[in-house]
Amino acid sequence: MDGVEPVLYPLLRKDLVVQGPRYAIQIGEKIIDYNEEFRLFLSTRNPNPFIPPDASSIVTEVNFTTTGSGLRGQLLALTIQHEKPDLEEQKTKLLQQEEDKKIQLAKLEESLLETLATSQGNILENKDLIESLNQTKASSALIQESLAESHRLQSSLDQERDAYLPLAESASKMYFIISDLSKINNMYRFSLAAFLRLFQRALQSEQDSSNTEERIKLLIDALKHTVYEYVCRCLFKADQLMFALHFVRGMHPELFQENEWETFTGVIIGDTVRKSDSQRSARDQIPSWIEQERAWAVATLKISLPGLYQTLCLEDEGLWHTFSQSSVCEQEFPSTIVKRISLFQQVLVVQAVRPDRLQSAMALFACKTLGKFIFHQGASTQQLNLVWFFLVIHFIL
């Protein structure tokens, strides 16, 4: 539903009519028997449903949408429960004790007010009342001390729990990354329950480590491997490379400098080039060794990312000769240039100058960045290169 129908207002307000031993309610033009155990739940897919002011006072809105902070807390609790069950048990007991103390304090306050309201005569001469007030004050002081001690213990426990927060944050980020896949294809929908099973499977993996920090890193890598492998099995072949880049972008935003991803996806190219007064002069300054049909793309790269363009030294034809003639140009960048640009900047150069090798460059970029956790950390460079080769073939074919 997108709203609350006015015909339901009598039901929500419980405008009951007593008819002998039974209750009835009028819905529209009909009078229907009413059961006291009846409950009405209205659901909607709209995250921000409009509830009229006259209905907001008679309905309770509950938002079940998964949020980053909520999921992070849930994953942190699962992690602590698996890694340090005693710590999570202490946290639960402290919370329960704190709630009990708060309830006791509220009852004492209520009892105090009731005693004062029912007292007769001069309060100062009522010994029973004064004694009751003193006992209430003493009990309240003890409860306040207990609450303060509980807060101190919770703070120390939270510090220990926060050591596992990076794992929960990474896992929460992964869930929202794979949730975005539904925008590409409605079939790509992954439930939270399925993701939690993957998370627990990663926690149960055997990871030998000497300290907590190292174990957290190993668990994050294991979770990345598990999630990536699970999702790739669910995707069409044509979308696997897309997901690999999307996964890298979401999990490692530090690999992308400002405007690089937007330039790659074409988000800012159009406006940047159209609004530039130097568009014609930029085209004229394109090096002669670059094909004319790539002049527009290179000019766009120059305007969108001037720092990168200056670093490339494209005017040096001899420097880029091997790259321009190679059938695997994504692996033949000049040695002096490859040390000064990032892996994704290499993809941008291939996209602008050699788009015929763009898919291979994207696959190579994905393999190199994802290979850090998809492959065993003890593998040799030769083994990794061999696996990268087969993965590039897997992405392309």
Side-chain angles (χ1 to χ4, degrees):
M1 297 182 64
D2 292 330
V4 181
E5 297 295 335
V7 71
L8 296 176
Y9 284 7
L11 179 60
L12 297 174
R13 289 195 301 261
K14 292 188 177 180
D15 297 338
L16 303 180
V17 179
V18 180
Q19 295 182 346
R22 64 191 182 93
Y23 291 100
I25 192 168
Q26 183 172 354
I27 303 295
E29 299 179 355
K30 296 182 178 180
I31 296 181
I32 305 173
D33 288 344
Y34 179 81
N35 190 316
E36 294 183 3
E37 300 296 327
F38 175 77
R39 297 292 183 271
L40 177 64
F41 297 92
L42 305 176
S43 63
T44 177
R45 291 186 178 181
N46 185 359
N48 297 305
F50 172 71
I51 301 178
D54 55 342
S56 60
S57 60
I58 56 178
V59 298
T60 301
E61 183 181 356
V62 181
N63 189 352
F64 289 98
T65 305
T66 304
T67 61
S69 58
L71 180 58
R72 185 167 59 247
Q74 184 178 357
L75 294 172
L76 180 60
L78 288 174
T79 304
I80 300 300
Q81 186 177 0
H82 181 271
E83 296 292 315
K84 293 187 176 181
D86 296 339
L87 187 64
E88 186 65 17
E89 185 178 352
Q90 291 179 20
K91 176 74 173 178
T92 304
K93 287 182 178 179
L94 280 176
L95 289 175
Q96 185 176 359
Q97 291 174 4
E98 184 176 337
E99 291 301 320
D100 292 341
K101 296 295 183 183
K102 289 180 179 179
I103 293 174
Q104 292 179 19
L105 187 61
K107 288 182 177 180
L108 285 175
E109 293 175 353
E110 184 179 351
S111 174
L112 176 61
L113 293 174
E114 183 179 355
T115 302
L116 291 174
T118 57
S119 64
Q120 297 179 355
N122 190 350
I123 298 178
L124 299 178
E125 296 179 357
N126 192 335
K127 295 182 180 180
D128 293 336
L129 176 61
I130 293 175
E131 184 178 353
S132 175
L133 291 176
N134 289 332
Q135 290 179 355
T136 302
K137 181 180 178 181
S139 300
S140 176
L142 289 175
I143 292 175
Q144 292 288 2
E145 290 179 3
S146 299
L147 287 175
E149 181 65 21
S150 176
H151 284 306
R152 285 193 292 269
L153 290 174
Q154 283 194 46
S155 299
S156 62
L157 290 178
D158 287 340
Q159 289 180 357
E160 295 184 49
R161 283 164 54 91
D162 288 345
Y164 291 89
L165 193 57
L167 174 61
E169 290 178 344
S170 296
S172 176
K173 194 184 299 183
M174 284 183 223
Y175 172 75
F176 288 103
I177 288 174
I178 63 177
S179 297
D180 288 339
L181 290 174
S182 60
K183 300 175 183 178
I184 304 299
N185 192 319
N186 285 328
M187 295 178 61
Y188 299 157
R189 293 187 180 274
F190 300 88
S191 66
L192 179 58
F195 181 80
L196 292 178
R197 287 195 295 269
L198 294 176
F199 184 75
Q200 291 176 337
R201 187 190 307 171
L203 289 177
Q204 293 169 1
S205 61
E206 297 182 1
Q207 302 291 342
D208 297 330
S209 58
S210 57
N211 54 53
T212 302
E213 185 176 354
E214 183 180 351
R215 174 162 176 77
I216 291 173
K217 291 181 179 179
L218 293 175
L219 286 174
I220 292 175
D221 289 347
L223 180 61
K224 287 178 180 178
H225 175 271
T226 303
V227 171
Y228 182 81
E229 188 180 53
Y230 175 81
V231 174
C232 276
R233 286 201 303 264
C234 305
L235 303 180
F236 291 119
K237 191 82 169 182
D239 294 330
Q240 291 182 358
L241 181 55
M242 174 275 299
F243 170 66
L245 293 177
H246 178 61
F247 195 78
V248 173
R249 165 70 174 168
M251 295 304 302
H252 302 283
E254 70 278 0
L255 298 178
F256 305 83
Q257 298 182 17
E258 186 179 2
N259 292 336
E260 287 185 353
W261 181 258
E262 291 76 10
T263 301
F264 176 72
T265 55
V267 174
I268 64 172
I269 285 178
D271 292 340
T272 302
V273 174
R274 280 196 294 269
K275 293 179 180 179
S276 175
D277 296 332
S278 59
Q279 177 179 344
R280 291 181 178 273
S281 60
R283 275 186 160 191
D284 296 338
Q285 295 174 6
I286 297 303
S288 58
W289 65 271
I290 298 177
E291 298 179 0
Q292 286 298 318
E293 58 265 22
R294 304 311 307 160
W296 178 270
V298 176
T300 300
L301 179 67
K302 182 177 181 180
I303 296 171
S304 303
L305 303 169
L308 172 60
Y309 185 85
Q310 187 176 2
T311 303
L312 294 175
C313 301
L314 293 176
E315 292 78 10
D316 190 345
E317 183 175 353
L319 182 65
W320 290 91
H321 177 74
T322 303
F323 174 87
S324 63
Q325 301 298 323
S326 176
S327 59
V328 286
C329 63
E330 68 278 2
Q331 302 179 31
E332 298 290 346
F333 273 84
S335 58
T336 56
I337 300 297
V338 76
K339 297 177 182 179
R340 300 162 59 187
I341 62 177
S342 66
L343 290 173
F344 189 70
Q345 288 174 342
Q346 295 178 28
V347 176
L348 291 173
V349 174
V350 173
Q351 181 189 39
V353 181
R354 290 286 303 276
D356 57 305
R357 299 297 302 171
L358 178 59
Q359 189 172 6
S360 298
M362 292 163 57
L364 187 61
F365 166 74
C367 292
K368 286 185 176 181
T369 51
L370 296 177
K372 296 178 181 179
F373 57 84
I374 288 183
F375 311 130
H376 191 272
Q377 293 184 351
S380 65
T381 303
Q382 185 178 2
Q383 290 173 327
L384 288 177
N385 289 334
L386 183 61
V387 177
W388 288 340
F389 171 77
F390 284 113
L391 270 179
V392 170
I393 298 300
H394 168 76
F395 277 130
I396 294 176
L397 297 181

